[in-house]
Amino acid sequence: MTHLLRRWLIAGMLIWLPLGATLLVIRFVVGLLDTSLLLIPAAYRPDIPGIGVLLSIVLVLGTGAVAANYLGSRLVVWTEALLSRIPLVRTVYGGIKKLAETIFSDQSVSFRQPILIEYPRKGIWSIAFITGAPIGEVQDKTADYVLTCFVPTTPNPTSGFIVLVPEKDIIRLDMSVEDAMRLVISLGVVTPDDMPRKNGDDRS
């Protein structure tokens, strides 16, 4: 009987834990996007849950449309020039803007290539992601051509470590970024189901 109850408990947790975590994340994101309603005077705010999500999407698309034309781009340049003169603001804004440009650029390879590196020591392998190639002093003072790699922590992949790894010591993986992230977040329990086999490897 104890064994049966344990099986039921584990089966129930496998259903409710990911479902509960998903609902919490969705609730957080919706609540965050709903803050865009603060742009509307209190007397005119619609009392509809989630309407802030739609408003946020419209706001982002509208801002992008304005910034894409000539006058809008000139306004953006002028605003950024103004922000660059404010000591603390220019540091924060400049860093976040550079990060966003790196991630969302069509030419960017950041976080588009999961890899294996020997970390934290030789003989132990970790999932990582290529985030770029360092230039200037960092590259000049290394004997090999190195790549900047991000090693995410488990189960929270938003924190982690930046390591500079020689390109020759990197093993590029065939799995997608989503599969690699899923592997990290699940503590290694969830593995890609359709991993391509190499060198005649037919292990199940």
Side-chain angles (χ1 to χ4, degrees):
M1 184 63 181
T2 303
H3 179 68
L4 181 61
L5 290 176
R6 183 172 178 273
R7 285 181 56 192
W8 288 353
L9 177 63
I10 294 176
M13 290 179 63
L14 288 176
I15 293 175
W16 283 107
L17 282 179
L19 181 60
T22 302
L23 292 176
L24 285 175
V25 170
I26 292 176
R27 182 178 178 182
F28 171 76
V29 172
V30 171
L32 184 64
L33 294 177
D34 270 343
T35 57
S36 60
L37 290 174
L38 297 176
L39 298 173
I40 303 176
Y44 299 99
R45 290 177 195 166
D47 189 16
I48 304 175
I51 192 67
V53 177
L54 179 60
L55 179 61
S56 296
I57 294 174
V58 172
L59 184 63
V60 170
L61 290 176
T63 304
V66 171
N69 62 52
Y70 176 76
L71 292 178
S73 62
R74 299 305 301 171
L75 178 62
V76 170
V77 170
W78 178 83
T79 304
E80 290 181 346
L82 179 63
L83 293 175
S84 67
R85 293 188 175 93
I86 307 174
L88 180 60
V89 173
R90 71 185 177 194
T91 302
V92 177
Y93 177 81
I96 295 176
K97 184 174 187 295
K98 184 65 177 177
L99 176 63
E101 288 176 344
T102 301
I103 294 176
F104 293 111
S105 171
D106 293 334
Q107 288 75 37
S108 173
V109 296
S110 299
F111 286 91
R112 297 185 183 180
Q113 177 65 68
I115 58 173
L116 278 178
I117 61 173
E118 289 188 285
Y119 180 88
R121 66 171 175 80
K122 202 167 187 63
I124 295 180
W125 296 89
S126 295
I127 296 285
F129 300 89
I130 297 175
T131 58
I135 57 176
E137 182 181 5
V138 174
Q139 186 63 74
D140 293 340
K141 293 187 176 180
T142 54
D144 299 307
Y145 178 71
V146 297
L147 294 175
T148 305
C149 304
F150 175 69
V151 183
T153 55
T154 301
N156 177 20
T158 59
S159 64
F161 307 92
I162 293 296
V163 291
L164 303 177
V165 186
E167 187 176 28
K168 62 183 178 61
D169 295 331
I170 287 174
I171 297 179
R172 298 175 185 267
L173 299 175
D174 294 318
M175 70 174 71
S176 66
V177 172
E178 292 76 13
D179 284 338
M181 276 296 185
R182 195 176 296 117
L183 181 64
V184 171
I185 295 171
S186 69
L187 312 181
V189 175
V190 179
T191 57
D193 296 325
D194 55 348
M195 282 286 294
R197 305 297 183 185
K198 289 185 175 180
N199 300 326
D201 186 0
D202 58 355
R203 290 173 295 175
S204 57

